[in-house]
Amino acid sequence: MAKQPATIYVCQNCGRQERKWSGRCADCGEYSSFVEEKFRPTAPAKGINSPNSAFFREVKPLKFSEIESQESSRTSSGIDEFDRVLGGGIVPGSLVLIGGSPGI
């Protein structure tokens, strides 16, 4: 039986799990999204007897009604159209990437 790792790396965007750190997630394509976590073995699902059926961490889906709202105060940029695109203004601690063709 293979030795179980002490830590695993979990993509914070999609939940993919790897034994080694990776710069880019193979599932969602996000860069630098892997975070080291302590390995917690879980029992394999019923009916799966394969030796390769190791589970690193249980991922549990949430109902839409169970998701908590993250209300944040927004600060106006002073440009009405820009504030409208951002949903009412700039959220403190957020990052906004602005792009477009040259001259826009």
Side-chain angles (χ1 to χ4, degrees):
M1 186 178 203
K3 182 180 175 186
Q4 294 183 348
T7 60
I8 59 170
Y9 297 89
V10 180
C11 176
Q12 297 302 295
N13 191 43
C14 69
R16 180 182 175 97
Q17 301 167 5
E18 296 285 347
R19 289 181 181 245
K20 297 188 307 184
W21 184 86
S22 180
R24 181 173 185 251
C25 180
D27 282 349
C28 66
E30 193 74 22
Y31 285 94
S32 299
S33 62
F34 281 95
V35 175
E36 186 176 11
E37 292 186 6
K38 184 176 180 180
F39 176 74
R40 294 182 306 247
T42 60
K46 292 181 181 178
I48 299 177
N49 296 322
S50 169
N52 296 329
S53 63
F55 295 97
F56 294 130
R57 174 180 80 156
E58 184 178 348
V59 179
K60 182 177 147 189
L62 296 174
K63 292 182 181 177
F64 185 75
S65 60
E66 295 174 350
I67 299 173
E68 296 178 17
S69 175
Q70 296 179 350
E71 296 293 326
S72 298
S73 60
R74 297 179 180 266
T75 305
S76 176
S77 66
I79 305 170
D80 293 334
E81 187 67 16
F82 184 62
D83 288 344
R84 185 183 67 80
V85 170
L86 295 179
I90 300 170
V91 176
S94 68
L95 175 70
V96 179
L97 178 62
I98 304 169
S101 300
I104 291 182

